[in-house]
Amino acid sequence: MRVVAVLAAAAALLVGGAGCGASAHEGAHEHAAVRGIPFGSHQMAYAKGTLRPTGDQAALDRQVRSFYDRWKARFVTARCGSQQVVSPDADHPYVAEAQGYGLVIAATMGDRPLFDGLLRYVEAHPSVNNPDLLAAEQDKACTSVNGSDSATDGDLDVAYGLLMADRQWGGDYRAKAVRRIAAIKADEVHPVTHLMKLGDWATSDEPLSEVSRTSDWMLDHFRAFEKVDPEWRTIREAHQKAITAFPGLLPDFVKDGKAVKGEVLEDEHDGDYNWNALRDPWRIGADAVTSGDPASVEAARSLSRWIAVRTGGDPAKIAAGYRLDGGPLEEGPEPAFVAPFAVAALADPSAQSWLDALWKAMTTAELGEKDYFASTVTLQSMITVTGNHWVP
């Protein structure tokens, strides 16, 4: 990108990724002054001992790039004076989660035109409760619906994507990120438990105000936010403590430190490992490999070893959801449930064959034209598994 000679020297210093032996924090500190992280440069080393799929690194990166090109052609639209990620298998054509995913992906791939196009859409759809948060859902005319309030997962990724954009390109992205991080802390973090709330609508008089979605427990995001506001360390540690309450799988939704019972927000499986919690191995694993934090590493290893034993090392036997006692909800394989476990496997030095099996499964899965969710989760898992995820 910029300062080509500096970048080349930096890349040479860190060639080899996980095998270089440097911690993620060391890599981040060493390159704090360098602007621009081209995709595939692997400037931000993962924690020592992190696995990668067997094979040539450049070939792995090409697989990610190819998948990204297909994802972009299929799920990025241009309407209403901006660009947006369309979600044909969600409740509405445009949802905050999808735009947040898109911003993080675009920043990772170094795709500034896409990033700015998505950002225009985000900024044109503020939450009715806080203009620095994103309204959760829009219809096909790009009009916000269902109260025009926020969803926490989208806001977390938007703020994180802006920090990534600042690291990539400079400009005013950081100032925008700072405002959004402050808004998230003010309106989407519970003031007592310090866990993420469901959205800015979950005020103290709302029955769901103490319910937290485990897929919103994005520890690497919280670490990035700590650099803006040190109070996010308390928030991160509260989530890490909450994770340890579940020695295996986590449920979709938690209240009072326990899985909710029955239908609370979505369906009768709200207390099971289902369509929200399936992202937890990816989110926890991403923090494990970028930070090396022992708590995250242990949680990721626990998830990885559980599913490897449960399936006998066969990704095709991963069920589409589980009860917390391990009983399957539906038969698999379902690609959205497979890919995140590959991220968790990165943190387990004994899991190379399991990781390779998962990589093959996730890169050969048949994904339909309307499989936005599975495709997007798979792409982000591929980015992390190949050593291309980084914390700004």
Side-chain angles (χ1 to χ4, degrees):
M1 293 280 181
R2 302 179 184 177
V3 197
V4 174
V6 174
L7 286 177
L13 285 171
L14 281 176
V15 67
C20 72
S23 72
H25 288 308
E26 289 169 345
H29 177 75
E30 182 178 353
H31 296 281
V34 177
R35 181 81 67 192
I37 302 180
F39 175 77
S41 63
H42 303 281
Q43 293 180 33
M44 306 289 275
Y46 280 1
K48 185 177 180 179
T50 299
L51 299 180
R52 294 274 176 86
T54 301
D56 176 68
Q57 181 65 66
L60 296 174
D61 292 344
R62 285 195 296 272
Q63 285 182 277
V64 179
R65 172 66 72 179
S66 176
F67 196 104
Y68 169 70
D69 290 341
R70 297 195 305 274
W71 173 87
K72 182 177 176 181
R74 185 175 295 176
F75 298 112
V76 173
T77 65
R79 297 172 58 94
C80 311
S82 61
Q83 289 176 289
Q84 48 285 135
V85 177
V86 64
S87 48
D89 49 348
D91 290 340
H92 292 86
Y94 311 112
V95 294
E97 162 204 279
Q99 312 320 315
Y101 285 161
L103 288 172
V104 172
I105 292 168
T108 303
M109 303 306 294
D111 191 340
R112 190 171 187 178
L114 175 57
F115 188 95
D116 287 344
L118 295 174
L119 184 59
R120 284 194 298 274
Y121 184 84
V122 167
E123 293 180 332
H125 295 86
S127 167
V128 69
N129 297 316
N130 188 322
D132 287 322
L133 299 176
L134 172 59
E137 299 167 316
Q138 289 82 45
D139 61 20
K140 63 182 181 181
C142 305
T143 300
S144 292
V145 295
N146 285 354
S148 300
D149 45 27
S150 78
T152 298
D153 55 351
D155 289 318
L156 289 170
D157 272 334
V158 169
Y160 189 81
L162 283 164
L163 289 177
M164 295 181 77
D166 170 65
R167 182 65 182 272
Q168 286 282 38
W169 306 300
D172 62 350
Y173 299 116
R174 182 174 177 82
K176 294 179 177 183
V178 169
R179 291 197 301 272
R180 288 184 181 269
I181 292 167
I184 293 168
K185 188 175 80 168
D187 287 343
E188 294 179 337
V189 176
H190 193 281
V192 177
T193 67
H194 304 298
L195 298 182
M196 304 311 302
K197 299 192 297 183
L198 300 174
D200 62 7
W201 52 270
T203 54
S204 59
D205 58 346
E206 162 62 51
L208 297 178
S209 63
E210 296 185 2
V211 173
S212 187
R213 180 188 293 106
T214 61
S215 56
D216 294 348
W217 299 0
M218 304 178 194
L219 303 176
D220 57 347
H221 290 40
F222 305 159
R223 287 186 198 276
F225 297 170
E226 285 178 49
K227 300 174 186 177
V228 172
D229 177 355
E231 290 186 12
W232 277 91
R233 177 171 182 172
T234 298
I235 297 168
R236 172 177 56 81
E237 291 176 345
H239 287 83
Q240 290 186 284
K241 182 178 179 180
I243 289 170
T244 63
F246 299 92
L249 300 174
L250 281 71
D252 276 8
F253 298 98
V254 168
K255 182 178 181 182
D256 298 328
K258 300 177 181 179
V260 301
K261 295 186 180 298
E263 182 176 352
V264 172
L265 184 68
E266 295 185 355
D267 60 35
E268 68 272 20
H269 295 299
D270 284 349
D272 296 323
Y273 177 87
N274 207 24
W275 286 93
N276 288 290
L278 69 82
R279 294 169 282 191
D280 293 343
W282 155 38
R283 294 300 193 183
I284 294 170
D287 185 64
V289 301
T290 53
S291 74
D293 187 304
S296 294
V297 169
E298 180 57 33
R301 287 178 181 173
S302 177
L303 288 165
S304 179
R305 291 172 180 176
W306 183 88
I307 194 64
V309 170
R310 182 75 186 180
T311 62
D314 183 357
K317 295 182 179 179
I318 295 176
Y322 291 93
R323 297 189 300 273
L324 297 193
D325 64 8
L329 299 180
E330 296 182 25
E331 291 186 8
E334 160 54 56
F337 283 86
V338 173
F341 281 118
V343 181
L346 299 176
D348 183 0
S350 67
Q352 187 66 60
S353 61
W354 175 233
L355 172 61
D356 289 342
L358 288 165
W359 176 255
K360 181 178 180 180
M362 64 197 286
T363 55
T364 58
E366 293 185 10
L367 293 164
E369 293 288 334
K370 294 185 177 181
D371 288 340
Y372 139 77
F373 184 72
S375 296
T376 309
V377 169
T378 296
L379 173 56
Q380 291 176 99
S381 296
M382 289 175 67
I383 286 169
T384 308
V385 168
T386 55
N388 285 293
H389 177 59
W390 48 273
V391 180

